[in-house]
Amino acid sequence: MHEVAIVQTLIEQVEDEVTKAGCAGPVTRLEVVVGRLSGANADSIRFAFELLAPDHALIEKAELVIDEPKAICRCLACQAENEIDELLPACPDCGSTEIRFEGGQDLLLQTIELEEESS
């Protein structure tokens, strides 16, 4: 399950970004984009996060929110556009193999929210 490695990298990235910003934390919420064609499974990322987060004080109580954008299959032959969840060999409308996939391939950290400091 390569999602464990993805989450380990995510945690490192969050720790680096919080340190660069000069903040102490803790992180309350993380928003991540996991496109349907990214090759990563959102449920497996959630599971790996639940396993790994408790070992990291900065994110141990953080909520993980995952956006899973679909991709668009654009047919160059019939000009059809279809939202898809997985790669297709041909256009669902006309069967042409002259297709292009757009979007849905992202795998990125979108937002880090930190607990507000009390005065």
Side-chain angles (χ1 to χ4, degrees), residues 65-95:
V65 178
I66 299 178
D67 178 26
E68 298 179 75
K70 292 185 177 188
I72 300 290
C73 175
R74 186 177 313 275
C75 180
L76 303 176
C78 75
Q79 308 306 311
E81 292 182 20
N82 293 285
E83 277 193 350
I84 57 170
D85 290 324
E86 58 188 39
L87 291 174
L88 301 173
C91 173
D93 291 346
C94 73

Side-chain angles (χ1 to χ4, degrees), residues 26 28 34 38 68 77 93 102 106:
T28 58
V34 180
S38 68
E68 298 179 75
D93 291 346
E102 299 174 1
D106 296 325

Side-chain angles (χ1 to χ4, degrees), residues 6-84:
I6 290 170
V7 171
Q8 288 172 329
T9 301
L10 171 69
I11 291 169
E12 291 170 8
Q13 183 181 8
V14 169
E15 290 171 341
D16 289 348
E17 292 298 326
V18 170
T19 300
K20 276 192 243 178
C23 299
V27 175
T28 58
R29 178 180 166 109
L30 296 173
E31 293 181 18
V32 178
V33 176
V34 180
R36 302 276 175 99
L37 302 183
S38 68
N41 181 287
D43 288 334
S44 295
I45 288 177
R46 282 185 193 93
F47 180 74
F49 186 81
E50 289 173 11
L51 286 176
L52 298 175
D55 293 335
H56 299 272
L58 183 64
I59 64 160
E60 68 183 338
K61 295 182 182 172
E63 173 189 13
L64 178 64
V65 178
I66 299 178
D67 178 26
E68 298 179 75
K70 292 185 177 188
I72 300 290
C73 175
R74 186 177 313 275
C75 180
L76 303 176
C78 75
Q79 308 306 311
E81 292 182 20
N82 293 285
E83 277 193 350
I84 57 170

